[in-house]
Amino acid sequence: MDRTKKTDHSIGSSAFLIRLLYLSKQPAPHWARHPDIVRLNEKLRQQPFLGGCFEDQAIMKVLGPVCANGSLRKSDVVPWHHRLGKTEFSVLKENLKLGKDVSVIRDGNRNKKNHHHDQAADPLISVVMPFHNQGQMTCQSVHELAQDSVKFKMEFVVVDDESYLEHVSIVKSCLKDMSAWYDFRYTYLRNDVSEGYSFSCNKGAEIARGSVLLFANNDMMVSNGAVGALINTLVTYPKAGIAGPLFLGQRDIQEFGGVIYNQAGAANAFRGYTRVPKQLLMAHQVDYISAACIAVEKEVFVKLGGFDRVYGRGYYEDTDLAMAMRNVGLRVVLQPFAVVYHQEGNTFGADSKEKRLLMSKNRQIFKEKWKDALVHHMPEGTPFFATRERYIKNLILWIDQVIPTPSYDSGSQRMWEILRYFLNSDIQVDFLPIHYFVPQQWLADVAYIRSRGIRLQPNKTEALCGRAKCPYKAIFIARPNTAEDVIGMIGRCCAGVPIVYDTVDLHFLRESREILQQNKEGYVSPEEAIRLALCGEGKDLDSKKECIEKTMAHLDMEAHVTPDLVANVTKVYKRLQSELDIVTRSVMTLVMSDVEDYVLQLQGMPGSKMKIVSNIYPDESISVGQKLLQDESSYLKRRHGGIFVGSFQHVPNVVAVRNLILVTDAIREHHSDFVMHIVGSHQPPEDLLKQLSHHKGIRFHGFMTDDDLTSLYAEVLCAIVPLSTGAGVKGKVAAAYFHGVPVIGSRIALEGMGLSADTDYFLAEEIQEYVRSYSELRKDPHLARQFASNGLEKIASRI
């Protein structure tokens, strides 16, 4: 694929929603299928964070506050000379020779020589590092980058730009030792005459074998995870041509992306600042990024002719490359969750006459070469914010109650997959949480979302009404309470912008079922729930009470209609009207299943406005389940017990776990070794937590990582899902099938999944039905495998 072909993907307002539904994903480069990339993406999916904020303690002091609230405390920045001095360098070099584990810079967990790469195969990454003298500093930079060779197959192309022999000896020696320790291939090149950074980079790139070139100064130190962040940005950010990091100096920010002005002047954005605005703390386009550390596809770099040698020994060669990228339709992307410490100015000095003369000369060369493109740039003095805004073309706003946390609940996973679809379709996303609150345990998820290019808006007034003209081509609203909070403001400040409503699930349906479930055992149909909800209409309490009594009598229910019950039914009716109102105002409504589509059409909503967008899962989730089920002998070994996964923040899950205690007791009467594993984020109610903690047949695990959860699924015979209330589609059911585990569950648990009882899952409403179903599976494990296989096949066909 030729990624240098220039295209224009701006979308007109009138065609936006049509294009939105049918845009295909931007094709990834061929090297994105490299095994190291596949492993990286799998790790990111399981633990969604790719920067260095939480892994490296020194970086955490700097970026921890940034990840949390956008601030960079000046007192927390670690001065360069405190990082690795001559003494530490000697220790490092000696330890490498002796084959010892090195923990001079890191905490030690990345330094173990516990990996091996096939040196005959081409590497994924070629690190091209020119150097002129400064042997110790060069070795230090190589050591920093080499630690990521644990994760990626990497080679080093070190270009000696006529260094003194004493420095040559140091660099050659440490390359030999480090390559043996970290298991990487290296090539040493030497210029007979000093040619400068651009020439040396081009020379190294010519013989590099990697699909990705990482140009690196010899005076920088990378944070843990920075290399992975840059590589992943090239893969995931649409049409990314260059990916670069946030540069930190000794005491503050050195560069947060670069700005090119219309008279060819250039500036490092936010240089000297100790605070980066929250709205810019995400992967986003910039004018250029310093070549002190950038990642670029080799194929693209070669087609563009590399760094233009007209700039001689340096300055403006990286700015020129950025302009060339944009000229062929590619983008320069800043990834703030890749962090680099850079000791700037070691080539020419922090400030020198030679540096000033060279910059002045190259500025004129650059200005003449790119004069036609520079007219679209902004004049010097333009605020940094404004220089970034010009890259935003296809912008939508997604509004929900809180920031999605894909690690913690299936609803967030679905939302993230929808947002990721937009990003892959070259649509930029602002996300506005009504409650901008980020607990410590959510920081990794929030950082990952930002690292993929989503901008978080901390204030609804600023997001909707803070500009003279509403910038959004569509506004997505999730949940009725969100709509109630913002619909008036949207009407005032963004009138005419199409609204798309995402039900997440029909709240009135769930709440009506919760009322009926208090007086009725078994399944509550949508029609029954609607009938009760409509009893809340009007102001006459007697007529409401009479309607409720008739409804319950029709359902063979005996219940005393109290004022509290009437009040609750009235709330459900108001919820119903609220949801119907936002559906009416919207040009499109996203529902979870054909059940919710049917319910809304019963209330007179046109089916043409409904689009079923159920839970969305990566392709690899399906393939994992298929592989597990294919290995019959391994699948049938040592499986027993059940599992339930669900967040305790969701009331139907709390009710289900209370039911599970009764189910567990009944099953253990027939199978004394039965153990019920309960997994879920957030804290259960105190009384329920005590019951779970003291029950001999229940193991309450709390929150588990994906790796641990996968291991637990491999031990159990089935998932048991005794939901008695709820709406929408249950992520826990799909997750069980993705792990090769069949499901015993209620009708509500399986509602909207498109599965058939007795072939794909075991239907159970009464406690003894759960006992019989588990006994059947225990008696015939082949049956469990067959049901799991049938269910997985149907779910895969619907996603």
Side-chain angles (χ1 to χ4, degrees), residues 586-648:
S586 304
V587 298
M588 186 188 303
T589 297
L590 308 182
V591 294
M592 292 289 290
S593 70
D594 50 4
V595 173
E596 299 194 345
D597 186 5
Y598 165 73
V599 168
L600 287 175
Q601 291 193 52
L602 281 181
Q603 297 305 299
M605 298 295 105
S608 59
K609 293 180 64 173
M610 310 301 164
K611 300 294 180 185
I612 298 175
V613 181
S614 189
N615 285 335
I616 307 169
Y617 302 94
D619 293 338
E620 57 265 26
S621 296
I622 299 170
S623 62
V624 168
Q626 291 170 337
K627 289 178 181 178
L628 289 170
L629 291 165
Q630 285 172 359
D631 188 352
E632 181 176 0
S633 59
S634 175
Y635 181 86
L636 299 176
K637 287 181 180 177
R638 300 184 303 277
R639 283 183 177 268
H640 68 276
I643 188 171
F644 176 90
V645 180
S647 168
F648 285 95

Side-chain angles (χ1 to χ4, degrees), residues 167-187:
H167 295 281
V168 171
S169 176
I170 290 173
V171 173
K172 284 186 173 181
S173 177
C174 76
L175 281 173
K176 180 180 178 181
D177 295 336
M178 289 186 193
S179 65
W181 178 255
Y182 289 113
D183 192 26
F184 63 79
R185 178 182 181 272
Y186 74 91
T187 301

Side-chain angles (χ1 to χ4, degrees), residues 704-728:
M704 296 182 77
T705 65
D706 278 8
D707 283 342
D708 292 338
L709 187 57
T710 297
S711 299
L712 184 57
Y713 268 116
E715 299 174 5
V716 301
L717 182 61
C718 63
I720 300 179
V721 191
L723 288 170
S724 57
T725 184

Side-chain angles (χ1 to χ4, degrees), residues 274-315:
T274 57
R275 181 181 295 273
V276 173
K278 289 180 183 179
Q279 294 93 324
L280 288 180
L281 194 62
M282 79 286 186
H284 62 279
Q285 292 185 68
V286 295
D287 289 348
Y288 81 97
I289 297 171
S290 169
C293 182
I294 56 172
V296 58
E297 280 185 61
K298 180 179 178 180
E299 180 183 356
V300 174
F301 185 77
V302 171
K303 284 186 177 181
L304 293 177
F307 290 115
D308 194 334
R309 298 186 182 185
V310 71
Y311 298 103
R313 291 180 51 78
Y315 295 111

Side-chain angles (χ1 to χ4, degrees), residues 531-589:
R531 180 167 179 169
L532 178 67
L534 293 176
C535 290
E537 184 178 7
K539 297 182 179 180
D540 183 31
L541 294 179
D542 291 335
S543 62
K544 290 181 182 180
K545 182 176 179 180
E546 181 181 355
C547 179
I548 295 171
E549 289 174 342
K550 287 182 178 180
T551 299
M552 291 190 167
H554 176 76
L555 300 177
D556 296 325
M557 297 169 55
E558 293 184 7
H560 178 58
V561 181
T562 64
D564 286 343
L565 178 57
V566 175
N568 289 335
V569 171
T570 302
K571 289 180 181 178
V572 172
Y573 175 75
K574 290 180 179 179
R575 177 73 79 191
L576 167 61
Q577 293 305 307
S578 174
E579 292 192 274
L580 294 179
D581 177 63
I582 186 61
V583 170
T584 302
R585 291 171 180 247
S586 304
V587 298
M588 186 188 303
T589 297

